[in-house]
Structures are given as structure tokens and as C-alpha cells.
Amino acid sequence: MNTQLILPLLGYLLLVAGISLFAMRQQKKAKGAFLNEYFLGGRTLGGFLLAMTLTTAYVSASSFIGGPGAAYKYGLGWVFLAMVQVPAVWLSLGVLGKKFAILARRYNAVTLNDILWAHFRSSVVVWIASITLLLAFIAVMAVQFIGGARLLESVAGIPYTQGLLIFGGIIALYTALGGFRASVLNDAMQGLVMLAGTFLLLFAVIHAAGGPAQAVATLQHINPQLTEVSGAGGIISGHLLASFTVLVCFGVLGLPNTAVRCIAYRDSKAVHRGILLGTLVMMLLMLGMHLSGALGRAILPDMVVPDLVIPALMMKVLPPFAAGIFLAAPMSAIMSNVNAHLLQASATIIKDLYLRLFPERAANEAHIRRLSTWLTLGLGLLLIITAWRPPEMIIWLNLLAFGALETVFLWPLVLGLYWQKANAAGAISSMLCGALSYTLLVSLKIQWWGFHPIVPSLLLSLVAFLIGNRLGKPISRTLPSGMEQ
């Protein structure tokens, strides 16, 4: 093991533990209902925390490993392509934020499925959404657990199983004990770590390459296409740009772990600050990491596996202690992504499934408190077991889960918010059609008209919503008993 790398990382993990203990104490002092406090932090997020938790919930290992690897392989054109992700926070808060918060407070909604139930009054919608969410979240979180353990293995020399236990155990503990507050406070700290690590690596890469002009000249010498907008091999076409924009920007509106954060903020002022700060942080992270990967080819021109460029650059251009500090950046991205999904999965099981089957137990707050803590911890342990023997080509599992969530949730959420005539038949048709079409297109590797499967799948799910809505019955918008504040 490389102790000079491990010591800064250990200090970072101790900081995570300290923040989680503080959040746990704050949670116990809170006077509101437990479910509202544990899963939403009492709806008290200010602008800075809102921006950081939204950004870090979106950013994952792919932003620090896969994206820079693609930029290394295809050049500066991929850096420009990656920037289409920048408006994701603005879209989430601008389209969903205010309406979500108003409806969530009106219906006392704690989870995304509470919003769907309030819109459509259909248990079928809730069950389809819950099952899809849990299956997709398990796949996404398992990928992140594997990515974190492999990062510790390849860079710090920690054996895979030991790294998995350390990494997974810490996330499970602080999320289970501290709930949403621990998740958000750690997200804020982890966002700052990501920014610091990104700038540290980018400046070191530019310096090692002899400056920006020399780095670009070296890329042109290796392959002139590395400095062109179309990228090496002309891979960046109009079809790819459109597909990528839908998948990683517009489609983010359908990601439950991002959407649920839009109901946890304090007031309109927090939304406006969150949009500004979140968009700025997203731009700096995407630009910094992808530019590091692209310019890194001027330093390491012959890498066989592009995804290893960031760990390799870290060891090449940074002294060991600084490399240990940077190692905390991708670890932060992974941890933030996992805790957002883990908490939402726990909320889905307890609030949307368990209490829907046994509503009389909602009054027993001590029971719900114990169940929430142990269930979140149990889910974390289940993920460790799932990731113990990682399958090959796990990236495709991650993309499948990512797109499946968007095809299931996007239109029911957006049309449910903005179309008064939207009904349960339309939502059910859209969810089933979206999930089925996306799964088939990805599995059979079909690309209609050259687009990624997410584009035709979302179009088909929209058509299915309109047809189903035409055949379904209108929904009364009066509040049902038990849904009032």
C-alpha cells in the first residue's frame, strides 16, 4: 500500500465521519416529523447546500474516470460535447423546483412517488415507479461501489475486497445514521473537494505539458483530429450531440435522485441561488476534468486503456501527498452519488411500499426511525455483497439503469406537473412503453436513425402517454383524506 496516498484519504474519511456525527445530532434535535426530517432534512436547504447536493448527486465516477477517458481518446471535441451537461441543475430547479416544492408541501409529500400519487391517484403508477427505481438504483449503486473499490485498488494499492468494505461500509453507516442531513452536508464538503481536486490536477497537467499552447501543439502532432470539434475519427456528429444532450441533460429531469432534491429547499431565494451556484460548479467540474483528460494525452500519449488516464496522470504529475488529496475527488463523486441513491431507495421501500401496505404503523415514529436506519444500513451491506464479485462490462449496466430511469419517470413527472388533464392511464402507458422500448433497443443494439436508444424511447413513451391519456379517465384534483398538511 502507498501510505503517502492513504494518509490524506484517511483524513478525508475521518472528516466525513465527523460531519455525519454532527448531522445525526442535528437530526435528533429536530422537532418535525421523523420521515420529513430523515428523508428531506426538514425541507430547510439553503442555496449553497441545494446547489452542492444537486451537483454531487448528478456527478459520479463517470465524470472523473469515463468522461476524461473519452476526452483522452477523442480529443478536445469531447470536451465541448461534455459541456452539454452544464444546464442540468438549471433545468432541474427551473422546470421541477418550484412546482415540486409547492405540491410537496400541499400534499405533505416525502418521496417522488408521493408526488406521482398526488398527480395520478393510482397505486399501479406508484408500484411501477417503485419497482423500477429499486432495480435501477441497485444497478447504479453497485457500479459505484465497484468503481470506488477499484480506484483504491489501482491507485492506493488497497486490495479490492478490503477497499470495498472500507468504502461501502463508511457510506452505509453515515447515510443510515445521519439521513438526509448527513448526505447533504457531506455533499457540500465533497463538492468543495471535487473542485479543489479538479483545479489541482488541471493545473499540474498543463504545467507538465509545457503550457496550454504546447499541449495543443503536441496533440496536433499526435493526431490533428484531436484538436478538431468533430474529434478523432469524426465521432462527434450531430446525432451524437443530440443523443448526448437528451441522455445527460434534458433527461436528467427524469432522474429520481435529482428530482427529489427539488422538494427539500427552504424558499424561493434558495432556488435562485441554487441555480446560479449549481450551474457554475457543474461547468467548472465538467470543463476541468474533461480538459485534464484531453490534454493528458500530451503527457501520456500511448495509453491502451483510456479510462485509466486520470489515475495515471495523478501518479505522473502530482507528488504522492497531493495525489492522495486528489484521490479524494473521485471518491467524493462516487460517495455523493451513492448516498443520494441509497437514501432514495430506503425512502421508496419504507414510505412508498411498507407504509402503503401497513398505513397504521406510520403513527409509531420510534418503529419507523429504527426501521429506516436499519433498512438503509442493510441496503448498503447488500450492495457490498452484490459488488463482491464484479461482472465484466459493468458500464453497460450503469447506462441501462440511467436511461431506464429517465424513460420511466420523465413524462409522468413533467406532464403531471404542467398538464392538468394528465391521468393515470397515460402515466402507466408511458412508463411501461419507455422501459420496454429502451431495454429492447439497448439489448439488441438498435440505433434508429443513428440516435442513441434514449431518443426514440422517450419519443415512444411520450406517444404512449398521449394515447393512454386519451383512453383514460380524468382525475379529480381535490385532496384525498390524509394527504393534507
Side-chain angles (χ1 to χ4, degrees):
M1 296 184 187
N2 191 328
T3 54
Q4 288 182 298
L5 281 172
I6 293 174
L7 286 176
L9 184 61
L10 181 61
Y12 163 73
L13 295 177
L14 289 174
L15 181 59
V16 168
I19 291 175
S20 302
L21 288 174
F22 172 77
M24 187 169 60
R25 291 182 179 179
Q26 292 297 109
Q27 182 198 117
K28 289 181 178 178
K29 292 179 183 178
K31 298 179 180 179
F34 171 75
L35 287 174
N36 188 58
E37 172 62 31
Y38 187 80
F39 293 117
L40 291 178
R43 308 180 202 269
T44 58
L45 291 187
F48 174 74
L49 289 178
L50 180 62
M52 285 301 187
T53 192
L54 266 173
T55 304
T56 54
Y58 173 80
V59 173
S60 67
S62 63
S63 302
F64 280 80
I65 304 297
Y72 175 91
K73 183 175 182 178
Y74 301 116
L76 296 175
W78 195 273
V79 179
F80 296 121
L81 180 67
M83 298 307 287
V84 303
Q85 301 172 79
V86 170
V89 173
W90 174 79
L91 273 175
S92 296
L93 289 176
V95 176
L96 301 179
K98 289 189 177 181
K99 275 190 169 284
F100 249 38
I102 292 170
L103 291 173
R105 284 163 171 79
R106 182 187 303 170
Y107 300 137
N108 197 25
V110 173
T111 69
L112 195 65
N113 286 335
D114 284 341
I115 296 289
L116 291 175
W117 168 256
H119 284 322
F120 301 113
R121 308 285 193 268
S122 169
S123 296
V124 177
V125 170
V126 173
W127 277 94
I128 293 174
S130 299
I131 293 170
T132 303
L133 186 148
L134 290 173
L135 291 175
F137 274 13
I138 288 172
V140 170
M141 288 187 287
V143 169
Q144 301 300 320
F145 270 51
I146 293 167
R150 282 180 172 164
L151 191 62
L152 289 174
E153 181 183 37
S154 62
V155 175
I158 300 174
Y160 176 82
T161 53
Q162 293 180 25
L164 181 62
L165 289 172
I166 294 170
F167 174 75
I170 289 174
I171 296 178
L173 278 173
Y174 87 69
T175 307
L177 296 176
F180 190 82
R181 285 185 185 272
S183 174
V184 168
L185 290 176
N186 277 300
D187 284 350
M189 182 270 293
Q190 288 160 351
L192 295 175
V193 170
M194 289 182 214
L195 284 172
T198 297
F199 280 110
L200 178 66
L201 182 65
L202 178 59
F203 290 146
V205 167
I206 292 175
H207 176 74
Q214 181 59 45
V216 173
T218 304
L219 292 182
Q220 288 179 327
H221 177 72
I222 296 170
N223 182 352
Q225 289 185 319
L226 291 173
T227 60
E228 296 177 0
V229 175
S230 58
I235 188 174
I236 303 173
S237 62
H239 287 88
L240 179 61
L241 178 61
S243 299
F244 206 68
T245 301
V246 171
L247 184 62
V248 300
C249 185
F250 175 70
V252 172
L253 292 173
L255 292 181
N257 60 302
T258 302
V260 75
R261 276 154 164 70
C262 296
I263 67 176
Y265 65 85
R266 184 173 55 236
D267 50 31
S268 295
K269 194 174 182 180
V271 175
H272 299 147
R273 286 182 176 175
I275 289 174
L276 180 62
L277 288 173
T279 302
L280 178 62
V281 171
M282 183 75 78
M283 180 182 68
L284 293 175
L285 288 175
M286 292 299 113
L287 179 62
M289 288 310 305
H290 287 82
L291 195 56
S292 295
L295 298 181
R297 190 157 181 177
I299 303 169
L300 302 170
D302 300 316
M303 292 199 66
V304 178
V305 183
D307 281 357
L308 296 179
V309 63
I310 293 301
L313 283 172
M314 185 180 73
M315 303 300 294
K316 178 76 174 178
V317 303
L318 297 174
F321 191 80
I325 296 174
F326 174 77
L327 179 60
M331 293 297 290
S332 296
I334 296 169
M335 293 175 77
S336 297
N337 191 273
V338 170
N339 69 46
H341 287 89
L342 185 58
L343 203 60
Q344 185 65 14
S346 179
T348 297
I349 294 174
I350 293 171
K351 183 68 169 60
D352 302 324
L353 301 180
Y354 179 74
L355 291 181
R356 190 168 293 279
L357 294 173
F358 307 102
E360 69 280 359
R361 299 183 185 178
N364 189 344
E365 192 163 287
H367 169 69
I368 298 300
R369 182 185 296 271
R370 288 193 302 271
L371 182 62
S372 299
T373 302
W374 284 107
L375 177 62
T376 305
L377 184 60
L379 283 172
L381 296 176
L382 175 63
L383 290 166
I384 292 175
I385 295 171
T386 303
W388 199 262
R389 294 184 180 276
E392 295 181 4
M393 300 302 293
I394 201 164
I395 186 174
W396 303 119
L397 179 62
N398 190 40
L399 288 175
L400 179 63
F402 194 82
L405 285 170
E406 293 181 358
T407 55
V408 168
F409 284 96
L410 179 62
W411 298 123
L413 284 178
V414 175
L415 295 180
L417 281 175
Y418 288 95
W419 191 20
Q420 286 294 316
K421 295 182 179 180
N423 60 40
I428 293 169
S429 301
S430 176
M431 296 166 96
L432 294 176
C433 178
L436 182 62
S437 60
Y438 184 76
T439 302
L440 288 175
L441 290 174
V442 171
S443 301
L444 300 176
K445 299 181 180 179
I446 298 173
Q447 292 191 338
W448 286 354
W449 311 298
F451 289 106
H452 185 278
I454 190 66
V455 175
S457 297
L458 284 178
L459 290 175
L460 289 172
S461 63
L462 175 59
V463 172
F465 195 114
L466 297 176
I467 295 174
N469 205 79
R470 182 86 176 182
L471 301 175
K473 297 180 180 179
I475 297 173
S476 171
R477 295 296 170 185
T478 57
L479 294 180
S481 176
M483 288 292 289
E484 299 87 350
Q485 279 279 28

